Amino acid sequence: MNLRLHDTATRTTREFEPRREGMATIYLCGATVQGVPHVGHVRSGLNFDVLRRWLQYKGFEVRLIRNVTDIDDKILAKAAEAGRPWWEWAATHERAFEWAYDQLGCLPPSALPRATGHIPQMIELIQRLIDKGHAYAADGDVYFSVESFADQYGKLSGQRLEEVQQGESLGGGKRDPRDFTLWKGAKPGEPSWATPWGNGRPGWHLECSAMATYYLGGEFDIHGGGLDLVFPHHENELAQSNAAGDGFARYWLHNAWVTMSGEKMSKSLGNTLSIPEVLKRARAAELRYYLVTPHYRSMIEFSDGGLTEAAATYQRIESFLRRVVQRTGSVAPGEVTAEFAAAMDDDLATPQAVAAVHNAVREGNAALDSGADETARETAAAVRSMMDVLGLDPLSEQWADDSGAEAAASRALRALVEDLLEQRQQARKAKDFATADQLRERLQNCGIAVEDTPDGPTWTLKDR
């Protein structure tokens, strides 16, 4: 099966046909760096990291651009409130986002452009729109005329023209409340750049169109982002880019939200969970597993119980792979199973893909228990590859080679525990249940709880 993706613009799941054979180009709306990242912020980066990894597994060269919005009303307001320069506030939180992406195993983007570094490209795009009659300058601002593009505006989001509300004021020289701002005239105390229409700073929608086309060309394959960006952000990107004469994105993919108590996780609602705080309660790989296992178009209702369950499930996969390595030596990644490939090709159906992983783990554990070590090795090789597509291979450098004294102690503990668990499994296989019980009791006396599951034994540290 060829890869099929759900395209927001056509509202259909259709076969992925890249603009250039063997190459996939992706633009992902990145962070507006106004504060510390929470689990809702990073979901998009994780989902599109999985897409990128699957495309690479299928042999594509992937160019993924993830931008940084480093100039914005919210950034200016929060920096002023904190009494810090806007650029320092933005840079501080950009580093926080990149740390979070790195901690959660996201591959670095092909480029990470900042809005403030692409003012010339934005000025050029504005001029093209003015020349074509789709934009106008008024009192230092520049606006896109929605009416001038009425026959195509709304095709991404399904908005009816008479119902469009941009969330912007009608002030200044705006001719129509449906028009949106391309360039904001300078205000006292705000940063500004010189343009033919006066000093000022860019509008949010303009930034992404200029950066996407600069790095990927006037037409590229996939534009991604969160569901909340469909309107007005992505609708306006599409309108201004098409109006300027660019084909822009061939596919539009949108991931759903992370919610708490049924509401979208956002700073304004006060229901955020920062990445540093969550990583005190779960390892980074376990948090990634929790966030990438659901389908990217499904909502995630965040809970500590769900995170704990995901962590235990991930540990079963981890335990199987380490059992195989301990029994047979190092295992190189192999080929994914047909079941896994079919799931990933069906609009990145990660729930079914993860089910395929667990099916393989059960088969591999059964092979180990029956003494079929070579079968277990082959299964482990497939599991490694499938988990690598998800960015979660427990034996990869990302997750297996943490540094520091605490990590070293954790690795030593894991090795000792898993050696005892392997001895217990061998005793059970030989029907030496007295020895098996003694080993379990020995672990329990050390504060280690053992659970026997269909995927093999798992262990956790008991609360004292």
Side-chain angles (χ1 to χ4, degrees):
M1 179 192 293
N2 291 325
L3 176 61
R4 299 170 68 246
L5 298 170
H6 186 83
D7 177 25
T8 304
T10 62
R11 295 154 183 80
T12 62
T13 301
R14 58 195 186 94
E15 187 171 326
F16 176 59
E17 296 179 352
R19 181 172 179 274
R20 177 178 165 188
E21 186 176 355
M23 169 77 73
T25 49
I26 305 171
Y27 183 85
L28 175 60
C29 276
T32 298
V33 288
Q34 58 170 307
V36 177
H38 60 62
V39 292
H41 288 136
V42 300
R43 186 183 183 188
S44 183
L46 291 170
N47 289 153
F48 284 89
D49 185 62
V50 171
L51 170 61
R52 178 187 188 176
R53 289 169 180 270
W54 182 236
L55 286 166
Q56 288 178 334
Y57 180 86
K58 290 173 72 70
F60 285 90
E61 178 183 348
V62 180
R63 293 180 185 169
L64 185 147
I65 309 300
R66 172 166 47 79
N67 77 294
V68 175
T69 297
D70 61 342
I71 185 70
D72 173 85
D73 291 345
K74 293 178 181 178
I75 292 172
L76 296 177
K78 288 182 179 294
E81 183 181 345
R84 291 161 62 180
W86 68 270
W87 50 266
E88 186 266 347
W89 184 267
T92 296
H93 294 102
E94 179 185 339
R95 288 193 296 272
F97 268 88
E98 292 311 306
W99 176 87
Y101 289 131
D102 182 63
Q103 289 295 302
L104 294 172
C106 289
L107 299 172
S110 305
L112 187 67
R114 299 181 183 90
T116 55
H118 296 79
I119 302 299
Q121 290 80 14
M122 298 176 201
I123 293 173
E124 179 185 355
L125 178 54
I126 291 174
Q127 189 62 63
R128 289 167 64 195
L129 289 167
I130 290 176
D131 292 345
K132 291 176 178 291
H134 294 298
Y136 58 94
D139 301 331
D141 299 323
V142 183
Y143 300 98
F144 180 88
S145 171
V146 171
E147 182 64 35
S148 73
F149 207 59
D151 59 332
Q152 295 191 54
Y153 192 87
K155 63 183 180 182
L156 178 65
S157 64
Q159 289 275 331
R160 297 175 60 179
L161 203 62
E162 61 271 20
E163 298 175 352
V164 167
Q165 296 183 16
Q166 298 288 353
E168 299 181 0
S169 66
L170 186 56
K174 185 185 286 191
R175 300 171 185 170
D176 187 322
R178 298 171 299 184
D179 296 346
F180 59 88
T181 306
L182 297 172
W183 190 261
K184 300 182 177 186
K187 295 180 181 179
E190 289 189 356
S192 63
W193 290 262
T195 76
W197 315 284
N199 290 354
R201 58 185 175 90
W204 179 32
H205 315 305
L206 176 76
E207 296 171 352
C208 283
S209 283
M211 289 185 283
T213 54
Y214 179 75
Y215 287 94
L216 300 177
E219 184 179 31
F220 54 94
D221 295 319
I222 297 169
H223 195 312
L227 187 63
D228 53 320
L229 299 181
V230 174
F231 185 86
H233 186 46
H234 287 171
E235 186 69 67
N236 290 346
E237 278 189 64
L238 179 60
Q240 67 198 6
S241 298
N242 285 173
D246 294 329
F248 212 53
R250 295 160 63 94
Y251 299 79
W252 290 84
L253 272 64
H254 292 94
N255 62 278
W257 301 332
V258 179
T259 63
M260 290 184 68
S261 302
E263 296 182 281
K264 174 195 170 189
M265 188 174 291
S266 68
K267 291 185 181 298
S268 62
L269 291 174
N271 59 3
T272 62
L273 285 167
S274 74
I275 298 302
E277 286 301 314
V278 176
L279 291 182
K280 293 177 182 177
R281 286 137 52 191
R283 292 182 298 160
E286 294 164 350
L287 176 56
R288 180 181 175 112
Y289 182 90
Y290 180 50
L291 294 175
V292 304
T293 297
H295 194 280
Y296 75 93
R297 291 193 287 118
S298 298
M299 298 292 183
I300 298 176
E301 175 69 12
F302 188 90
S303 70
D304 283 329
L307 179 59
T308 299
E309 183 179 348
T313 306
Y314 176 75
Q315 289 165 20
R316 293 170 195 163
I317 302 170
E318 191 175 34
S319 177
F320 162 66
L321 289 174
R322 295 189 186 282
R323 281 188 72 198
V324 174
V325 170
Q326 189 173 39
R327 179 85 68 84
T328 71
S330 62
V331 177
E335 296 294 321
V336 305
T337 67
E339 180 186 5
F340 180 91
M344 293 300 292
D345 277 341
D346 185 15
D347 192 34
L348 306 179
T350 48
Q352 289 75 27
V354 170
V357 173
H358 286 288
N359 288 340
V361 167
R362 279 190 289 273
E363 293 171 3
N365 273 316
L368 281 176
D369 292 342
S370 67
D373 290 359
E374 189 55 37
T375 298
R377 278 180 60 82
E378 292 173 0
T379 303
V383 169
R384 283 202 66 184
S385 291
M386 293 186 284
M387 292 299 283
D388 185 60
V389 168
L390 302 174
L392 285 165
D393 176 12
L395 302 183
S396 68
E397 183 178 350
Q398 172 78 31
W399 307 121
D401 293 333
D402 295 333
S403 59
E406 185 176 341
S410 177
R411 289 197 300 273
L413 173 63
R414 182 174 296 278
L416 291 170
V417 171
E418 289 179 352
D419 180 65
L420 290 174
L421 287 176
E422 179 63 21
Q423 291 179 40
R424 178 171 173 267
Q425 288 294 95
Q426 291 302 310
R428 295 179 71 191
K429 177 185 171 184
K431 301 188 183 304
D432 182 0
F433 298 114
T435 298
D437 290 343
Q438 289 173 3
L439 289 167
R440 183 183 185 123
E441 184 177 354
R442 181 177 172 187
L443 288 165
Q444 288 177 331
N445 290 339
C446 293
I448 295 165
V450 178
E451 178 185 2
D452 292 309
T453 76
D455 295 336
T458 63
W459 61 276
T460 56
L461 292 173
K462 296 189 294 184
D463 292 333
R464 291 295 184 102

mmCIF file of all heavy atoms in Angstrom, residues 243-283:
data_model
loop_
_atom_site.group_PDB
_atom_site.id
_atom_site.type_symbol
_atom_site.label_atom_id
_atom_site.label_comp_id
_atom_site.label_asym_id
_atom_site.label_seq_id
_atom_site.Cartn_x
_atom_site.Cartn_y
_atom_site.Cartn_z
ATOM 1 N N ALA A 243 -2.963 33.970 -3.918
ATOM 2 C CA ALA A 243 -3.225 35.253 -4.560
ATOM 3 C C ALA A 243 -1.953 35.844 -5.166
ATOM 4 O O ALA A 243 -2.007 36.535 -6.193
ATOM 5 C CB ALA A 243 -3.827 36.225 -3.555
ATOM 6 N N ALA A 244 -0.814 35.544 -4.559
ATOM 7 C CA ALA A 244 0.462 36.025 -5.093
ATOM 8 C C ALA A 244 0.930 35.207 -6.285
ATOM 9 O O ALA A 244 1.889 35.590 -6.969
ATOM 10 C CB ALA A 244 1.525 35.997 -3.996
ATOM 11 N N GLY A 245 0.272 34.055 -6.530
ATOM 12 C CA GLY A 245 0.628 33.226 -7.673
ATOM 13 C C GLY A 245 1.340 31.937 -7.331
ATOM 14 O O GLY A 245 1.785 31.215 -8.231
ATOM 15 N N ASP A 246 1.451 31.617 -6.056
ATOM 16 C CA ASP A 246 2.125 30.393 -5.633
ATOM 17 C C ASP A 246 1.110 29.271 -5.418
ATOM 18 O O ASP A 246 0.032 29.488 -4.856
ATOM 19 C CB ASP A 246 2.886 30.625 -4.325
ATOM 20 C CG ASP A 246 4.044 31.604 -4.490
ATOM 21 O OD1 ASP A 246 4.616 31.646 -5.589
ATOM 22 O OD2 ASP A 246 4.363 32.316 -3.515
ATOM 23 N N GLY A 247 1.474 28.057 -5.821
ATOM 24 C CA GLY A 247 0.604 26.904 -5.593
ATOM 25 C C GLY A 247 0.504 26.538 -4.131
ATOM 26 O O GLY A 247 -0.485 26.023 -3.659
ATOM 27 N N PHE A 248 1.597 26.784 -3.391
ATOM 28 C CA PHE A 248 1.721 26.551 -1.957
ATOM 29 C C PHE A 248 1.574 25.061 -1.639
ATOM 30 O O PHE A 248 2.042 24.222 -2.397
ATOM 31 C CB PHE A 248 0.729 27.429 -1.186
ATOM 32 C CG PHE A 248 1.241 27.847 0.175
ATOM 33 C CD1 PHE A 248 2.478 28.455 0.308
ATOM 34 C CD2 PHE A 248 0.485 27.649 1.324
ATOM 35 C CE1 PHE A 248 2.952 28.857 1.558
ATOM 36 C CE2 PHE A 248 0.951 28.044 2.581
ATOM 37 C CZ PHE A 248 2.176 28.647 2.683
ATOM 38 N N ALA A 249 0.939 24.685 -0.540
ATOM 39 C CA ALA A 249 0.959 23.294 -0.073
ATOM 40 C C ALA A 249 0.009 22.408 -0.876
ATOM 41 O O ALA A 249 -1.130 22.787 -1.141
ATOM 42 C CB ALA A 249 0.590 23.235 1.404
ATOM 43 N N ARG A 250 0.479 21.189 -1.195
ATOM 44 C CA ARG A 250 -0.345 20.218 -1.912
ATOM 45 C C ARG A 250 -1.216 19.408 -0.944
ATOM 46 O O ARG A 250 -2.260 18.900 -1.337
ATOM 47 C CB ARG A 250 0.560 19.276 -2.705
ATOM 48 C CG ARG A 250 1.330 19.982 -3.821
ATOM 49 C CD ARG A 250 2.554 19.167 -4.251
ATOM 50 N NE ARG A 250 2.202 17.880 -4.808
ATOM 51 C CZ ARG A 250 2.035 17.632 -6.108
ATOM 52 N NH1 ARG A 250 2.157 18.622 -6.988
ATOM 53 N NH2 ARG A 250 1.757 16.422 -6.534
ATOM 54 N N TYR A 251 -0.784 19.282 0.300
ATOM 55 C CA TYR A 251 -1.524 18.564 1.334
ATOM 56 C C TYR A 251 -1.476 19.395 2.617
ATOM 57 O O TYR A 251 -0.437 19.977 2.950
ATOM 58 C CB TYR A 251 -0.907 17.183 1.644
ATOM 59 C CG TYR A 251 -0.879 16.230 0.480
ATOM 60 C CD1 TYR A 251 0.106 16.342 -0.508
ATOM 61 C CD2 TYR A 251 -1.811 15.204 0.357
ATOM 62 C CE1 TYR A 251 0.140 15.468 -1.585
ATOM 63 C CE2 TYR A 251 -1.774 14.315 -0.701
ATOM 64 C CZ TYR A 251 -0.795 14.462 -1.665
ATOM 65 O OH TYR A 251 -0.760 13.584 -2.729
ATOM 66 N N TRP A 252 -2.596 19.404 3.343
ATOM 67 C CA TRP A 252 -2.660 20.080 4.637
ATOM 68 C C TRP A 252 -2.990 19.042 5.705
ATOM 69 O O TRP A 252 -4.035 18.396 5.652
ATOM 70 C CB TRP A 252 -3.732 21.165 4.626
ATOM 71 C CG TRP A 252 -3.388 22.339 3.762
ATOM 72 C CD1 TRP A 252 -3.575 22.462 2.418
ATOM 73 C CD2 TRP A 252 -2.802 23.572 4.203
ATOM 74 N NE1 TRP A 252 -3.134 23.692 1.984
ATOM 75 C CE2 TRP A 252 -2.669 24.400 3.060
ATOM 76 C CE3 TRP A 252 -2.406 24.070 5.451
ATOM 77 C CZ2 TRP A 252 -2.132 25.687 3.123
ATOM 78 C CZ3 TRP A 252 -1.869 25.346 5.516
ATOM 79 C CH2 TRP A 252 -1.729 26.141 4.377
ATOM 80 N N LEU A 253 -2.095 18.881 6.685
ATOM 81 C CA LEU A 253 -2.297 17.920 7.768
ATOM 82 C C LEU A 253 -2.398 18.666 9.092
ATOM 83 O O LEU A 253 -1.593 19.584 9.351
ATOM 84 C CB LEU A 253 -1.137 16.923 7.843
ATOM 85 C CG LEU A 253 -1.237 15.659 6.985
ATOM 86 C CD1 LEU A 253 -1.247 16.004 5.495
ATOM 87 C CD2 LEU A 253 -0.072 14.723 7.298
ATOM 88 N N HIS A 254 -3.361 18.272 9.907
ATOM 89 C CA HIS A 254 -3.565 18.931 11.195
ATOM 90 C C HIS A 254 -3.723 17.913 12.310
ATOM 91 O O HIS A 254 -4.526 16.981 12.198
ATOM 92 C CB HIS A 254 -4.798 19.841 11.138
ATOM 93 C CG HIS A 254 -4.607 21.022 10.238
ATOM 94 N ND1 HIS A 254 -5.003 21.026 8.911
ATOM 95 C CD2 HIS A 254 -4.026 22.224 10.475
ATOM 96 C CE1 HIS A 254 -4.680 22.190 8.363
ATOM 97 N NE2 HIS A 254 -4.094 22.924 9.283
ATOM 98 N N ASN A 255 -2.940 18.096 13.359
ATOM 99 C CA ASN A 255 -3.051 17.225 14.529
ATOM 100 C C ASN A 255 -4.047 17.808 15.520
ATOM 101 O O ASN A 255 -4.242 19.028 15.606
ATOM 102 C CB ASN A 255 -1.700 17.043 15.210
ATOM 103 C CG ASN A 255 -1.119 18.347 15.734
ATOM 104 O OD1 ASN A 255 -0.511 19.098 14.971
ATOM 105 N ND2 ASN A 255 -1.310 18.633 17.021
ATOM 106 N N ALA A 256 -4.692 16.927 16.278
ATOM 107 C CA ALA A 256 -5.670 17.349 17.282
ATOM 108 C C ALA A 256 -4.953 17.830 18.543
ATOM 109 O O ALA A 256 -3.726 17.768 18.663
ATOM 110 C CB ALA A 256 -6.617 16.202 17.599
ATOM 111 N N TRP A 257 -5.755 18.296 19.493
ATOM 112 C CA TRP A 257 -5.219 18.918 20.701
ATOM 113 C C TRP A 257 -4.933 17.896 21.793
ATOM 114 O O TRP A 257 -5.391 16.764 21.758
ATOM 115 C CB TRP A 257 -6.239 19.913 21.265
ATOM 116 C CG TRP A 257 -6.630 21.006 20.336
ATOM 117 C CD1 TRP A 257 -5.876 21.552 19.333
ATOM 118 C CD2 TRP A 257 -7.886 21.692 20.295
ATOM 119 N NE1 TRP A 257 -6.583 22.545 18.689
ATOM 120 C CE2 TRP A 257 -7.816 22.647 19.260
ATOM 121 C CE3 TRP A 257 -9.060 21.598 21.046
ATOM 122 C CZ2 TRP A 257 -8.878 23.501 18.954
ATOM 123 C CZ3 TRP A 257 -10.114 22.443 20.752
ATOM 124 C CH2 TRP A 257 -10.018 23.387 19.722
ATOM 125 N N VAL A 258 -4.185 18.364 22.791
ATOM 126 C CA VAL A 258 -4.127 17.703 24.088
ATOM 127 C C VAL A 258 -5.055 18.503 24.998
ATOM 128 O O VAL A 258 -4.969 19.731 25.061
ATOM 129 C CB VAL A 258 -2.705 17.697 24.669
ATOM 130 C CG1 VAL A 258 -2.699 17.014 26.036
ATOM 131 C CG2 VAL A 258 -1.741 17.001 23.714
ATOM 132 N N THR A 259 -5.981 17.816 25.657
ATOM 133 C CA THR A 259 -6.964 18.505 26.489
ATOM 134 C C THR A 259 -6.846 18.090 27.953
ATOM 135 O O THR A 259 -6.266 17.057 28.281
ATOM 136 C CB THR A 259 -8.402 18.227 26.012
ATOM 137 O OG1 THR A 259 -8.664 16.818 26.138
ATOM 138 C CG2 THR A 259 -8.588 18.639 24.560
ATOM 139 N N MET A 260 -7.408 18.925 28.814
ATOM 140 C CA MET A 260 -7.581 18.580 30.222
ATOM 141 C C MET A 260 -8.994 19.004 30.594
ATOM 142 O O MET A 260 -9.392 20.139 30.318
ATOM 143 C CB MET A 260 -6.567 19.296 31.100
ATOM 144 C CG MET A 260 -5.131 18.809 30.931
ATOM 145 S SD MET A 260 -4.003 19.625 32.081
ATOM 146 C CE MET A 260 -4.554 18.941 33.641
ATOM 147 N N SER A 261 -9.756 18.092 31.162
ATOM 148 C CA SER A 261 -11.159 18.353 31.500
ATOM 149 C C SER A 261 -11.950 18.802 30.285
ATOM 150 O O SER A 261 -12.832 19.665 30.367
ATOM 151 C CB SER A 261 -11.249 19.415 32.611
ATOM 152 O OG SER A 261 -10.544 18.992 33.755
ATOM 153 N N GLY A 262 -11.598 18.238 29.139
ATOM 154 C CA GLY A 262 -12.348 18.501 27.919
ATOM 155 C C GLY A 262 -12.012 19.792 27.222
ATOM 156 O O GLY A 262 -12.601 20.117 26.188
ATOM 157 N N GLU A 263 -11.058 20.570 27.749
ATOM 158 C CA GLU A 263 -10.701 21.830 27.128
ATOM 159 C C GLU A 263 -9.306 21.753 26.526
ATOM 160 O O GLU A 263 -8.426 21.075 27.048
ATOM 161 C CB GLU A 263 -10.735 22.966 28.156
ATOM 162 C CG GLU A 263 -12.115 23.233 28.741
ATOM 163 C CD GLU A 263 -12.070 24.394 29.712
ATOM 164 O OE1 GLU A 263 -11.639 24.174 30.856
ATOM 165 O OE2 GLU A 263 -12.459 25.504 29.325
ATOM 166 N N LYS A 264 -9.106 22.483 25.424
ATOM 167 C CA LYS A 264 -7.790 22.543 24.803
ATOM 168 C C LYS A 264 -6.779 23.050 25.826
ATOM 169 O O LYS A 264 -7.034 24.007 26.547
ATOM 170 C CB LYS A 264 -7.825 23.491 23.605
ATOM 171 C CG LYS A 264 -6.449 23.736 22.986
ATOM 172 C CD LYS A 264 -6.463 24.930 22.068
ATOM 173 C CE LYS A 264 -5.054 25.319 21.658
ATOM 174 N NZ LYS A 264 -5.017 26.596 20.938
ATOM 175 N N MET A 265 -5.630 22.382 25.901
ATOM 176 C CA MET A 265 -4.595 22.816 26.826
ATOM 177 C C MET A 265 -3.980 24.115 26.313
ATOM 178 O O MET A 265 -3.454 24.171 25.201
ATOM 179 C CB MET A 265 -3.519 21.744 26.962
ATOM 180 C CG MET A 265 -2.502 22.029 28.045
ATOM 181 S SD MET A 265 -1.371 20.651 28.268
ATOM 182 C CE MET A 265 -2.476 19.428 28.968
ATOM 183 N N SER A 266 -4.076 25.157 27.093
ATOM 184 C CA SER A 266 -3.513 26.451 26.683
ATOM 185 C C SER A 266 -3.143 27.246 27.914
ATOM 186 O O SER A 266 -3.680 27.032 29.001
ATOM 187 C CB SER A 266 -4.527 27.243 25.852
ATOM 188 O OG SER A 266 -5.614 27.648 26.649
ATOM 189 N N LYS A 267 -2.227 28.179 27.740
ATOM 190 C CA LYS A 267 -1.794 29.002 28.861
ATOM 191 C C LYS A 267 -2.934 29.873 29.374
ATOM 192 O O LYS A 267 -3.074 30.109 30.566
ATOM 193 C CB LYS A 267 -0.599 29.859 28.438
ATOM 194 C CG LYS A 267 0.661 29.051 28.189
ATOM 195 C CD LYS A 267 1.838 29.949 27.884
ATOM 196 C CE LYS A 267 3.099 29.130 27.620
ATOM 197 N NZ LYS A 267 3.506 28.333 28.769
ATOM 198 N N SER A 268 -3.783 30.350 28.450
ATOM 199 C CA SER A 268 -4.847 31.259 28.852
ATOM 200 C C SER A 268 -5.852 30.591 29.777
ATOM 201 O O SER A 268 -6.495 31.250 30.596
ATOM 202 C CB SER A 268 -5.562 31.814 27.615
ATOM 203 O OG SER A 268 -6.159 30.764 26.875
ATOM 204 N N LEU A 269 -6.006 29.264 29.668
ATOM 205 C CA LEU A 269 -6.936 28.541 30.525
ATOM 206 C C LEU A 269 -6.306 28.139 31.856
ATOM 207 O O LEU A 269 -6.982 27.646 32.750
ATOM 208 C CB LEU A 269 -7.451 27.284 29.811
ATOM 209 C CG LEU A 269 -8.373 27.521 28.614
ATOM 210 C CD1 LEU A 269 -8.685 26.204 27.924
ATOM 211 C CD2 LEU A 269 -9.667 28.197 29.065
ATOM 212 N N GLY A 270 -5.000 28.323 31.963
ATOM 213 C CA GLY A 270 -4.329 27.991 33.211
ATOM 214 C C GLY A 270 -4.253 26.506 33.485
ATOM 215 O O GLY A 270 -4.091 26.086 34.633
ATOM 216 N N ASN A 271 -4.353 25.695 32.453
ATOM 217 C CA ASN A 271 -4.353 24.236 32.672
ATOM 218 C C ASN A 271 -3.172 23.581 31.963
ATOM 219 O O ASN A 271 -3.282 22.502 31.407
ATOM 220 C CB ASN A 271 -5.670 23.607 32.204
ATOM 221 C CG ASN A 271 -5.929 23.868 30.718
ATOM 222 O OD1 ASN A 271 -5.110 24.464 30.032
ATOM 223 N ND2 ASN A 271 -7.072 23.415 30.229
ATOM 224 N N THR A 272 -2.043 24.240 32.017
ATOM 225 C CA THR A 272 -0.879 23.736 31.296
ATOM 226 C C THR A 272 -0.046 22.804 32.169
ATOM 227 O O THR A 272 -0.064 22.884 33.399
ATOM 228 C CB THR A 272 0.011 24.900 30.807
ATOM 229 O OG1 THR A 272 0.483 25.618 31.963
ATOM 230 C CG2 THR A 272 -0.775 25.841 29.926
ATOM 231 N N LEU A 273 0.707 21.961 31.494
ATOM 232 C CA LEU A 273 1.661 21.076 32.150
ATOM 233 C C LEU A 273 2.982 21.222 31.406
ATOM 234 O O LEU A 273 3.128 20.740 30.282
ATOM 235 C CB LEU A 273 1.160 19.628 32.094
ATOM 236 C CG LEU A 273 0.010 19.289 33.050
ATOM 237 C CD1 LEU A 273 -0.597 17.946 32.687
ATOM 238 C CD2 LEU A 273 0.495 19.275 34.490
ATOM 239 N N SER A 274 3.924 21.897 32.002
ATOM 240 C CA SER A 274 5.190 22.157 31.327
ATOM 241 C C SER A 274 5.978 20.868 31.145
ATOM 242 O O SER A 274 5.868 19.938 31.953
ATOM 243 C CB SER A 274 6.022 23.178 32.100
ATOM 244 O OG SER A 274 6.568 22.584 33.268
ATOM 245 N N ILE A 275 6.781 20.829 30.107
ATOM 246 C CA ILE A 275 7.591 19.637 29.841
ATOM 247 C C ILE A 275 8.549 19.345 30.998
ATOM 248 O O ILE A 275 8.644 18.190 31.444
ATOM 249 C CB ILE A 275 8.350 19.798 28.510
ATOM 250 C CG1 ILE A 275 7.370 19.932 27.346
ATOM 251 C CG2 ILE A 275 9.268 18.602 28.275
ATOM 252 C CD1 ILE A 275 6.414 18.777 27.187
ATOM 253 N N PRO A 276 9.262 20.340 31.551
ATOM 254 C CA PRO A 276 10.151 20.015 32.681
ATOM 255 C C PRO A 276 9.399 19.388 33.855
ATOM 256 O O PRO A 276 9.915 18.459 34.494
ATOM 257 C CB PRO A 276 10.741 21.381 33.057
ATOM 258 C CG PRO A 276 10.693 22.173 31.794
ATOM 259 C CD PRO A 276 9.433 21.747 31.112
ATOM 260 N N GLU A 277 8.176 19.847 34.127
ATOM 261 C CA GLU A 277 7.423 19.291 35.245
ATOM 262 C C GLU A 277 6.971 17.861 34.964
ATOM 263 O O GLU A 277 7.048 16.994 35.830
ATOM 264 C CB GLU A 277 6.215 20.183 35.558
ATOM 265 C CG GLU A 277 6.572 21.477 36.255
ATOM 266 C CD GLU A 277 7.294 21.247 37.578
ATOM 267 O OE1 GLU A 277 6.834 20.395 38.373
ATOM 268 O OE2 GLU A 277 8.333 21.895 37.805
ATOM 269 N N VAL A 278 6.490 17.619 33.755
ATOM 270 C CA VAL A 278 6.017 16.271 33.423
ATOM 271 C C VAL A 278 7.178 15.279 33.423
ATOM 272 O O VAL A 278 7.017 14.112 33.820
ATOM 273 C CB VAL A 278 5.287 16.264 32.061
ATOM 274 C CG1 VAL A 278 4.874 14.844 31.672
ATOM 275 C CG2 VAL A 278 4.053 17.154 32.122
ATOM 276 N N LEU A 279 8.359 15.731 33.017
ATOM 277 C CA LEU A 279 9.511 14.829 32.978
ATOM 278 C C LEU A 279 10.037 14.482 34.367
ATOM 279 O O LEU A 279 10.930 13.647 34.488
ATOM 280 C CB LEU A 279 10.627 15.438 32.115
ATOM 281 C CG LEU A 279 10.321 15.500 30.615
ATOM 282 C CD1 LEU A 279 11.502 16.063 29.845
ATOM 283 C CD2 LEU A 279 9.951 14.124 30.069
ATOM 284 N N LYS A 280 9.477 15.105 35.400
ATOM 285 C CA LYS A 280 9.786 14.671 36.759
ATOM 286 C C LYS A 280 8.955 13.450 37.135
ATOM 287 O O LYS A 280 9.274 12.758 38.101
ATOM 288 C CB LYS A 280 9.501 15.808 37.750
ATOM 289 C CG LYS A 280 10.423 17.007 37.614
ATOM 290 C CD LYS A 280 10.030 18.114 38.580
ATOM 291 C CE LYS A 280 10.918 19.339 38.411
ATOM 292 N NZ LYS A 280 10.492 20.453 39.321
ATOM 293 N N ARG A 281 7.877 13.203 36.374
ATOM 294 C CA ARG A 281 6.962 12.100 36.681
ATOM 295 C C ARG A 281 7.094 10.934 35.720
ATOM 296 O O ARG A 281 6.560 9.854 35.980
ATOM 297 C CB ARG A 281 5.518 12.620 36.650
ATOM 298 C CG ARG A 281 5.198 13.449 37.859
ATOM 299 C CD ARG A 281 4.434 14.709 37.597
ATOM 300 N NE ARG A 281 3.229 14.571 36.813
ATOM 301 C CZ ARG A 281 2.569 15.626 36.320
ATOM 302 N NH1 ARG A 281 3.012 16.837 36.543
ATOM 303 N NH2 ARG A 281 1.483 15.465 35.622
ATOM 304 N N ALA A 282 7.765 11.126 34.604
ATOM 305 C CA ALA A 282 7.946 10.044 33.626
ATOM 306 C C ALA A 282 9.203 10.320 32.823
ATOM 307 O O ALA A 282 9.618 11.471 32.674
ATOM 308 C CB ALA A 282 6.732 9.966 32.695
ATOM 309 N N ARG A 283 9.807 9.261 32.341
ATOM 310 C CA ARG A 283 10.958 9.433 31.452
ATOM 311 C C ARG A 283 10.494 10.029 30.117
ATOM 312 O O ARG A 283 9.336 9.885 29.720
ATOM 313 C CB ARG A 283 11.635 8.093 31.211
ATOM 314 C CG ARG A 283 12.310 7.507 32.442
ATOM 315 C CD ARG A 283 13.012 6.195 32.098
ATOM 316 N NE ARG A 283 12.058 5.199 31.634
ATOM 317 C CZ ARG A 283 12.389 4.119 30.925
ATOM 318 N NH1 ARG A 283 13.644 3.909 30.580
ATOM 319 N NH2 ARG A 283 11.476 3.249 30.564
#
